[in-house]
Amino acid sequence: MLALALCAGCKHPTSSAPALKPTASGTAIVLVGGDKQLGSPGSRLSQPLQFQVNDNLGNAVTGAEVEITGPKGVIFDPAQVLTDENGQATFKVRLGGISGRYELTASSRDAHGKPFSLTVAEFAAGYQEQVGYEVNEKYCSRCHDQDSTVTQVSNYDNLAVKPHSFSNGDVYNKITASDLATIITHGGPAINRSALMPPYGWTLNKAETQAVIAYIRLVSDPPYVAPGVVYAKH
Ligand code: HEC
């Protein structure tokens, strides 16, 4: 897993567009939408990434400059923009060619030139992780995700013991791959957890179980670092 290498602070602006002339400034950037998408490595995300710049009263600001940066290999269109009449800045994003978690940062400056920013994540998923995503959507997310979606009502609130979101790296990064495989295959009691976590050994084959584990590692925040992997310093 190359996630760490991808988000290890090496931010590269991806284009040298002509300087924009901001006519206003705000104090905060909020996310409007487009984060946490899953795409193939090197593909363009289906939804654009959208931010809004607000002033200190929470009102949208038109004409503020927003710049977006990310790890090497990510392409933004545009890379800088002025917020529109709704105070929003919209960026199309093409992911880098390596699968992993990509942290993207939108930044702007207040009236005193002091920068403020917001960082979101997108995921470049290889084949195995895509399969894992589909397994999650089909079998797991109804209990593991708190939020209901258009197509699925969450069962989370009905559970007496609460499962964790797969992106909860503080929990998931501490569980070994072999324990993950055990609880997924044999259910909660196999590792002294609640029987509300059902066994999937009859439903998922080994490849699908490994795929959902790969997906869990992909979306982990903080990122998952495989034990024993040593990263070169720049
Ligand atoms: C019917 C609800 C339900 C479904 C569906 C479900 N889980 Fe769970 N899961 C739970 C509950 C409840 C726990 C917490 C058990 C505990 O902490 O004792 C849990 C715990 C886990 C854990 C241990 C870490 C944690 O979150 O506490 C893993 C790993 C896990 N589930 C994986 C999966 C996978 C993979 C799927 C889909 C293939 C899945 N679960 C589907 C209810 C569910």
Side-chain angles (χ1 to χ4, degrees):
M1 177 59 62
L2 290 151
L4 192 77
L6 295 172
C7 44
C10 42
K11 307 287 184 192
H12 295 266
T14 47
S15 88
S16 46
L20 299 171
K21 293 200 169 57
T23 55
S25 56
T27 55
I29 296 187
V30 295
L31 178 71
V32 177
D35 68 323
K36 295 192 179 144
Q37 294 179 74
L38 208 74
S40 306
S43 72
R44 173 181 273 190
L45 293 175
S46 56
Q47 306 296 320
L49 192 47
Q50 259 184 310
F51 300 94
Q52 183 172 314
V53 174
N54 288 342
D55 63 17
N56 51 13
L57 299 173
N59 296 319
V61 174
T62 298
E65 183 172 353
V66 181
E67 182 189 21
I68 187 160
T69 54
K72 206 174 171 201
V74 183
I75 297 168
F76 300 106
D77 176 20
Q80 298 99 7
V81 72
L82 297 183
T83 51
D84 66 12
E85 66 278 10
N86 300 314
Q88 296 186 356
T90 303
F91 302 95
K92 290 178 192 156
V93 180
R94 186 177 290 282
L95 295 171
I98 305 170
S99 65
R101 184 175 193 275
Y102 284 75
E103 292 197 344
L104 312 179
T105 301
S107 54
S108 188
R109 288 176 185 276
D110 71 10
H112 309 289
K114 193 168 161 256
F116 53 93
S117 64
L118 180 71
T119 297
V120 300
E122 307 287 3
F123 305 101
Y127 176 74
Q128 188 187 34
E129 293 145 339
Q130 298 263 6
V131 172
Y133 166 79
E134 282 154 26
V135 170
N136 169 52
E137 289 287 293
K138 195 164 173 196
Y139 300 108
C140 322
S141 67
R142 68 191 168 91
C143 287
H144 280 261
D145 288 343
Q146 266 171 271
D147 300 327
S148 297
T149 63
V150 205
T151 49
Q152 184 169 263
V153 177
S154 175
N155 185 36
Y156 182 90
D157 290 341
N158 303 325
L159 296 167
V161 181
K162 301 298 184 197
H164 299 90
S165 159
F166 290 160
S167 64
N168 187 335
D170 291 329
V171 169
Y172 274 85
N173 291 347
K174 292 188 190 121
I175 309 179
T176 62
S178 99
D179 276 354
L180 288 175
T182 302
I183 188 171
I184 296 167
T185 308
H186 303 293
I191 61 164
N192 293 320
R193 301 290 203 96
S194 164
L196 291 171
M197 167 60 201
Y200 283 91
W202 295 285
T203 315
L204 302 177
N205 63 32
K206 281 208 173 104
E208 288 166 326
T209 303
Q210 289 309 314
V212 75
I213 294 171
Y215 172 75
I216 289 170
R217 296 313 195 200
L218 174 73
V219 297
S220 174
D221 178 22
Y224 176 71
V225 181
V229 175
V230 179
Y231 290 93
K233 289 192 175 146
H234 307 280

